[in-house]
Amino acid sequence: MASTTTIRIDRATHEELKRLARERRTTVAEAVARAVRVLRQDQMGDDLSAPLTDDETDWLDAELG
């Protein structure tokens, strides 16, 4: 069994989590894990769409060899 912890959320959020989990035929814990994964992917998308830094541009423009 995985180690667990408790998080505090407001009742409305908890009810929404239960509803989403029920609709997806999963547990609240799995719904939270999925939400965390989606947030992480969203952050990666933001990071990848950010303009390149000068160092990154220099590295990409560097000659090989």
Side-chain angles (χ1 to χ4, degrees):
M1 179 176 185
S3 177
T4 63
T5 190
T6 301
I7 59 171
R8 292 188 180 273
I9 57 174
D10 60 72
R11 288 187 191 277
T13 301
H14 187 248
E15 290 302 318
E16 183 71 5
L17 271 170
K18 289 192 312 187
R19 184 187 65 76
L20 289 167
R22 187 172 50 252
E23 287 176 359
R24 288 163 177 73
R25 295 187 177 112
T26 189
T27 66
V28 169
E30 289 169 345
V32 170
R34 173 73 175 140
V36 169
R37 182 175 181 202
V38 169
L39 286 169
R40 193 177 326 113
Q41 290 172 338
D42 187 54
Q43 181 63 54
M44 281 189 252
D46 290 346
D47 292 346
L48 290 170
S49 67
L52 295 175
T53 65
D54 290 340
D55 287 344
E56 291 167 330
T57 301
D58 291 344
W59 184 84
L60 288 170
D61 291 340
E63 292 292 325
L64 296 176

